[in-house]
């Protein structure tokens, strides 16, 4: 089976696995315990916090470790809502946000929420965002990179608008962490989330950043871990492994980008024989993560295409793994304004560090063969 679903999750890097085992066996103490073994675990935890803060260009005092991106999104938004810059009950969110964002917004009572669609390039329309602002707007939440089509949202411009209007800005960095240099954008937002398993780290670990200038209140009362941000014993081995994964992937950022641009171009070229049936949802290269390709093939349901590819030994997807179990089209298709029929045609192909050119060509040729047989 050749894997093309790296946007969903990644295999654990072998060097990172060694770090996890070493931390589990040598730094096993509870980081809150006052004895020396606990102190060693606490020292490792704070070293990881400092290293990740340096990679992200933020103050380590605002960095908190969580069980992953979904929990990070939930707790960050709740933290911002506990410490508003001004009174109000209006929130603006991207229509294509991750299901964890929709989940936290759906449970809020008494708030008005405006969901912004994406334009034909898969981007938030800045003018529409500005027109949606009201004196009551207190929070904007827009993901940095869309997990289903890989478009990179204009976080810098959105952050500037929010700052000018005393509005908190949360951004889901799960798909951009380890794939884009975040040092310029991370300090501009009120909060962001990230995850370990998208960058060849372990599952079940991630984090959230809250601007240290924000005096938030804990969502869970009485928690002593992570300065009250969340309850539960801190998973120091997983945090150490995620930090090692982040360090490793950051050294490969530029080389990886060039590789993924070449792989993307190769897939497009291989799909040329059926190009009149293929629609790729993408932005121009400056606003596009090259490793994620969201597309539809006219007249062929994405789930059927995914199963056919699986039969031929290729693992692709029909969108975010957090949404698939609900048997509904990818959220991005609604945000793009696609009809239900066209939305059902959506598939996602995503590359990773082990993806080979010959495998990409093989996948493209297989898709072409499947389409030709289907159409005959």
């Amino acid at each position: 089976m050749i894997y093309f679903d790296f946007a969903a999750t990644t295999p654990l890097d072998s060097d990172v696995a060694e770090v996890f085992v070493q931390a589990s066996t040598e730094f096993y103490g509870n980081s809150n315990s006052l004895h020396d073994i606990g102190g060693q675990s606490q020292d490792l935890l704070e070293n990881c916090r400092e290293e990740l803060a340096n990679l992200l260009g933020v103050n380590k005092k605002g960095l908190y470790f969580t069980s992953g991106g979904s929990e990070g999104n939930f707790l960050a938004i709740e933290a911002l809502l506990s410490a508003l810059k001004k009174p109000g009950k209006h929130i603006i969110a991207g229509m294509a946000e991750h299901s964890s964002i929709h989940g936290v917004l759906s449970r809020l009572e008494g708030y008005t929420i405006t969901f912004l669609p994406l334009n034909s390039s898969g981007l938030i329309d800045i003018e529409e965002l500005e027109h949606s602002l009201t004196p009551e707007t207190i929070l904007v939440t827009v993901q940095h990179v869309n997990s289903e089509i890989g478009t990179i949202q204009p976080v810098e411009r959105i952050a500037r608008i929010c700052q000018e209007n005393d509005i908190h800005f949360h951004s889901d960095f799960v798909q951009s962490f380890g794939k884009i240099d975040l040092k310029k954008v991370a300090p501009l937002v009120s909060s962001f989330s990230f995850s370990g398993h998208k960058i060849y780290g372990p599952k079940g670990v991630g984090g959230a950043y809250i601007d240290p200038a924000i005096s938030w209140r804990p969502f869970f009362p009485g928690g002593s871990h992570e300065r009250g941000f969340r309850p539960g014993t801190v998973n120091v081995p997983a945090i150490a492994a995620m930090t090692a994964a982040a360090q490793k992937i950051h050294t490969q950022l530029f080389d990886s980008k060039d590789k993924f641009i070449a792989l993307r171009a190769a897939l497009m070229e291989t799909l040329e024989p059926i190009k009149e049936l293929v629609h790729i949802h993408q932005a121009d290269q400056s606003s596009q993560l090259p490793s994620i390709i969201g597309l539809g093939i006219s007249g062929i349901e994405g789930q059927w295409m995914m199963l056919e590819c699986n039969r031929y030994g290729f693992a692709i997807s029909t969108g975010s793994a957090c949404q698939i179990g609900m048997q509904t089209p990818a959220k991005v298709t609604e945000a793009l304004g696609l009809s239900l029929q066209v939305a059902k045609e959506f598939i996602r192909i995503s590359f990773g560090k082990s993806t080979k050119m010959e495998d990409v060509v093989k996948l493209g040729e297989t898709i072409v063969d499947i389409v030709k047989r289907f159409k005959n």
Side-chain angles (χ1 to χ4, degrees):
M1 179 67 72
I2 303 171
Y3 192 64
F4 284 100
D5 199 16
F6 290 88
T9 194
T10 58
L12 186 65
D13 180 272
S14 56
D15 294 333
V16 171
E18 287 183 21
V19 171
F20 183 85
V21 171
Q22 184 182 4
S24 298
T25 53
E26 297 179 22
F27 297 87
Y28 54 83
N30 187 320
S31 58
N32 262 22
S33 297
L34 298 180
H35 47 62
D36 286 354
I37 292 175
Q40 291 168 358
S41 183
Q42 177 68 18
D43 288 344
L44 176 58
L45 176 66
E46 293 311 315
N47 285 340
C48 291
R49 198 186 312 275
E50 185 166 1
E51 177 60 26
L52 284 171
N54 289 337
L55 288 175
L56 291 163
V58 295
N59 187 331
K60 67 177 182 179
K61 291 180 180 176
L63 206 56
Y64 304 93
F65 294 111
T66 68
S67 66
S70 293
E71 186 191 31
N73 282 330
F74 178 88
L75 291 177
I77 287 177
E78 289 289 352
L80 296 183
L81 293 177
S82 76
L84 299 177
K85 292 185 177 183
K86 62 182 182 182
K89 288 280 188 176
H90 179 235
I91 295 171
I92 297 174
M95 194 181 287
E97 296 298 297
H98 187 263
S99 57
S100 61
I101 295 288
H102 285 276
V104 65
L105 297 181
S106 67
R107 66 173 294 280
L108 298 177
E109 295 181 0
Y111 289 84
T112 303
I113 301 169
T114 300
F115 290 102
L116 297 179
L118 303 178
N119 62 23
S120 58
S121 297
L123 299 173
I124 293 287
D125 186 315
I126 292 296
E127 285 188 10
E128 188 164 355
L129 170 63
E130 290 179 314
H131 289 154
S132 300
L133 296 176
T134 76
E136 287 268 305
T137 307
I138 41 87
L139 173 67
V140 169
T141 176
V142 174
Q143 64 189 169
H144 190 195
V145 170
N146 182 271
S147 63
E148 290 161 333
I149 60 174
T151 47
I152 304 170
Q153 301 301 333
V155 165
E156 298 95 327
R157 294 179 67 191
I158 297 172
R160 187 164 60 248
I161 291 166
C162 290
Q163 287 165 1
E164 290 169 355
N165 291 276
D166 289 331
I167 297 168
H168 282 317
F169 177 30
H170 172 72
S171 190
D172 177 343
F173 280 8
V174 167
Q175 282 294 345
S176 56
F177 178 55
K179 299 167 190 174
I180 296 173
D181 188 350
L182 297 173
K183 279 190 174 181
K184 287 184 179 178
V185 297
L188 302 179
V189 302
S190 306
S191 65
F192 63 78
S193 59
F194 59 96
S195 181
H197 74 105
K198 307 286 189 181
I199 61 164
Y200 310 93
K203 294 172 177 63
V205 65
Y209 169 80
I210 314 285
D211 182 345
I214 298 171
S215 298
W216 52 270
R217 292 194 307 276
F219 179 79
F220 295 104
S224 60
H225 297 282
E226 289 300 277
R227 301 193 295 283
F229 190 65
R230 70 184 296 268
T233 302
V234 179
N235 191 349
V236 175
I239 291 165
M242 175 175 66
T243 305
Q247 290 170 318
K248 187 169 184 176
I249 204 168
H250 270 77
T251 66
Q252 305 163 347
L253 276 181
F254 297 109
D255 290 343
S256 294
K257 183 179 179 182
D258 291 342
K259 171 189 171 178
F260 294 143
I261 289 171
L263 293 177
R264 188 183 186 93
L267 182 64
M268 301 299 104
E269 188 178 340
T270 312
L271 294 176
E272 274 289 306
I274 57 167
K275 65 179 181 181
E276 69 279 0
L277 299 174
V278 177
H279 183 78
I280 299 163
H281 307 287
Q282 61 185 346
D284 61 54
Q285 192 167 301
S286 64
S287 299
Q288 179 69 46
L289 197 71
S291 58
I292 297 178
I293 303 171
L295 60 93
I297 300 172
S298 182
I300 299 180
E301 285 204 6
Q303 192 164 6
W304 185 83
M305 176 57 76
M306 183 268 291
L307 292 171
E308 281 295 284
C309 285
N310 187 71
R311 195 160 65 89
Y312 286 100
F314 299 95
I316 67 170
S317 79
T318 55
S320 171
C322 297
Q323 187 70 15
I324 285 169
M326 300 169 74
Q327 297 299 308
T328 55
K331 278 189 166 54
V332 73
T333 59
E334 181 186 359
L336 288 165
L338 306 182
S339 69
L340 184 59
Q341 180 55 46
V342 174
K344 286 182 177 179
E345 296 167 355
F346 183 83
I347 59 172
R348 180 183 68 186
I349 296 163
S350 48
F351 307 139
K353 65 180 182 179
S354 61
T355 307
K356 298 174 183 175
M357 180 66 76
E358 57 265 35
D359 291 336
V360 171
V361 172
K362 218 182 291 183
L363 172 64
E365 290 172 346
T366 300
I367 291 173
V368 170
D369 289 344
I370 290 169
V371 171
K372 285 183 174 178
R373 281 201 308 276
F374 180 84
K375 293 294 183 181
N376 288 338

